[in-house]
Amino acid sequence: MRCPKADKLMSPYIDGEISGLERYDLEAHTRECRRCAEKLEALEKMHALFEKAGHYNAPYGFSTKLLARAGSEEKAAGRVPVYLRLAEAALFMLVVASGILSGNFLVSRPAPARSAPLTAALSLDVFDSAPADSPAGVYLTMTEERHEE
Amino acid sequence: MADSKDDPGLISRFREGDSSAFDEIVSSYQDRIYNVCRYILGNVQNAEDAAQDTFIKAFRNSGNFEPRASLYTWLYRIAVNTCLDHKKRPFFESLFRSSAGGEEYMLEPVSEAPTPERLYESKQTGELLGKALGRLSPKLRAALILKEIEGLSYDEIAEVMEISVGTVKSRISRARDEIRGHMKFFTEQS
C-alpha cells in the first residue's frame, strides 16, 4: 500500500468503517512508514479527545417553551381558513368589478368612435357654401329665387 | 445505530398530527437534537433557537414523514439543515463541561482522578479543539460532529446530510486534517 491510499483509509480506520483486508494493509503500511504512523497516531489522539467531550442536555424549560409554541402554531393554523375566505371574497369582488368596468368599456366607447365619420359624412355642414360668383353659387341663387316665387 | 424509540404506533400518531405523540417525541429527542445543534453552532442561544425550530418544522411536516425511514435520522436531517441555514459565525466554547462551581472537568472514570496539571492541560486542549472546530466550514463540522459526538455510522450520516457515503468519508477526513492544522497553528502561536 502506498501513502496516498493509506492516507485515505485513516479516517475510516478510526471510525471502524473499513474492511478487514484494508485494515490489515493499513497497519502493515504504518509499520513501514513513519510519516503515516505519526499521522495515524495524531488522528487517534484527536478521536480520543472527542470521546471525552461533554454531551449537552436541552436547557431547563425547553420542552415547555416548545410545546407552547407548537400550541400557538396549531391555533394560528385554525385561523388561516377565515383569512383565506376573506381573501377569496375580495378577489371575487375584484374580478366582478373588473368585468363590469371592462363591459362598460366594450359597450359604450366603440359606437361613437365608429359612427362619427358616418354621421359627419351625411351632414351637409361638411360642405362649405359655394362662392357667390362661381357657377355653383349662381345656380344655387337662381334656384332659391325660383322656390321663393 | 438503530433507535428503540421508533415505535410504529407513535410514528403513526405523529404522522396524523397527534400532539401527545409530538410531546413524547420531544421528550425523547430534545437532548440529542439540542446537543448536535450546540456543537454545530457553538453557543447556547443559537443552539436553543435551532433546536426549537427543528421540532417546530418536524411538527409542521409530520404528515410528510415516511414511516419506513428512521425518525431520529429524519430529525437529525432537519436539525443539521436548520443549523446550516444559520448565517452567524459560531462562537466556540470549550468542549468540556463546567461543574456547578464553574470548574472545567473531563468526563473520566472516578478512579482516574485528574491532577491539577492534567485538568489545566485538558482544559487547554479542549479549548483548542473547540476553537479549531469553529474554524471548519459548517458542512465539514456537521459531518464530523455527527460521527464523533453523535456516533452515527457513515451510512446514517449520508442519509442525514443527503450526500453519498464517499462524500461523508471525504468530509470527515478533510475536517480532521484541517483541525490538526489549526491546532498545530494555535499551539505554535501560544
Side-chain angles (χ1 to χ4, degrees), chain A residues 87-116:
Chain A
E88 280 172 4
L91 189 61
F92 176 73
M93 286 174 65
L94 189 64
V95 166
V96 167
S98 302
I100 290 170
L101 288 171
S102 59
N104 284 344
F105 174 81
L106 287 168
V107 166
S108 57
R109 277 189 63 180
R114 270 213 306 270
S115 63

Side-chain angles (χ1 to χ4, degrees), chain A residues 11-12 15 17 39 42 46-47 49-50 53-59 62-63 65-67 69-70 73, chain B residues 23 30-31 34-35 38-39 48 52-53 55 60 94-95 97 107 125 148-149 153-154 173 176-177 180:
Chain A
S11 265
D15 296 331
E17 300 261 3
K39 182 173 176 181
M46 189 195 304
H47 177 64
L49 275 178
F50 275 112
H55 279 252
Y56 298 100
N57 289 332
F62 179 88
S63 58
K65 266 194 258 179
L66 174 62
L67 296 175
R69 199 175 144 190
E73 286 237 346
Chain B
D23 293 356
Q30 61 178 9
D31 289 340
Y34 176 78
N35 189 60
R38 180 73 185 271
Y39 273 102
E48 189 175 353
Q52 294 256 338
D53 288 347
F55 284 107
R60 281 184 198 150
S94 173
L95 287 182
R97 280 191 197 159
L107 295 172
T125 313
E148 291 283 20
I149 305 292
S153 67
Y154 282 5
S173 184
R176 284 175 170 145
D177 285 346
R180 270 187 74 215

Side-chain angles (χ1 to χ4, degrees), chain B residues 1-151:
Chain B
M1 189 179 174
D3 198 281
S4 58
K5 302 275 184 205
D6 274 15
D7 167 18
L10 175 66
I11 303 296
S12 173
R13 287 189 295 125
F14 174 64
R15 289 186 74 225
E16 287 164 11
D18 183 337
S19 56
S20 66
F22 178 64
D23 293 356
E24 285 181 52
I25 286 167
V26 169
S27 167
S28 299
Y29 292 102
Q30 61 178 9
D31 289 340
R32 287 163 77 173
I33 296 301
Y34 176 78
N35 189 60
V36 79
C37 292
R38 180 73 185 271
Y39 273 102
I40 294 176
L41 295 174
N43 77 56
V44 175
Q45 194 52 57
N46 288 349
E48 189 175 353
D49 291 345
Q52 294 256 338
D53 288 347
T54 297
F55 284 107
I56 292 295
K57 286 175 189 175
F59 180 65
R60 281 184 198 150
N61 292 290
S62 57
N64 297 335
F65 172 68
E66 292 289 328
R68 63 176 178 274
S70 161
L71 181 60
Y72 82 93
T73 53
W74 184 67
L75 287 172
Y76 272 131
R77 184 183 307 144
I78 298 173
V80 168
N81 287 336
T82 302
C83 291
L84 293 180
D85 287 341
H86 263 255
K87 304 286 185 203
K88 293 176 191 172
R89 186 181 171 79
F91 169 72
F92 251 86
E93 298 162 7
S94 173
L95 287 182
F96 295 89
R97 280 191 197 159
S98 294
S99 66
E103 292 171 0
E104 300 263 339
Y105 63 90
M106 290 187 296
L107 295 172
E108 277 193 354
V110 174
S111 58
E112 294 179 34
T115 62
E117 292 77 19
R118 285 190 66 205
L119 261 178
Y120 176 75
E121 195 184 300
S122 76
K123 182 183 172 181
Q124 291 290 94
T125 313
E127 284 176 357
L128 284 180
L129 185 56
K131 212 168 149 185
L133 255 182
R135 292 290 183 105
L136 296 180
S137 73
K139 287 181 181 175
L140 293 189
R141 186 163 61 243
L144 187 64
I145 283 163
L146 287 172
K147 183 66 223 162
E148 291 283 20
I149 305 292
E150 296 298 315

Side-chain angles (χ1 to χ4, degrees), chain A residues 14 26 45 57 88 109 116 135 141 145:
Chain A
I14 286 164
L26 178 62
K45 281 183 180 169
N57 289 332
E88 280 172 4
R109 277 189 63 180
T141 306
E145 285 172 356

Side-chain angles (χ1 to χ4, degrees), chain A residues 25-84:
Chain A
D25 286 345
L26 178 62
E27 287 172 352
H29 175 80
T30 54
R31 280 195 290 273
E32 305 289 323
C33 176
R34 189 175 163 185
R35 184 184 152 276
C36 286
E38 282 175 3
K39 182 173 176 181
L40 185 59
E41 191 184 339
L43 291 179
E44 281 172 333
K45 281 183 180 169
M46 189 195 304
H47 177 64
L49 275 178
F50 275 112
E51 283 182 334
K52 291 175 182 165
H55 279 252
Y56 298 100
N57 289 332
Y60 179 76
F62 179 88
S63 58
T64 307
K65 266 194 258 179
L66 174 62
L67 296 175
R69 199 175 144 190
S72 61
E73 286 237 346
E74 246 187 326
K75 284 181 193 164
R79 284 201 294 270
V80 166
V82 174
Y83 292 133
L84 257 183

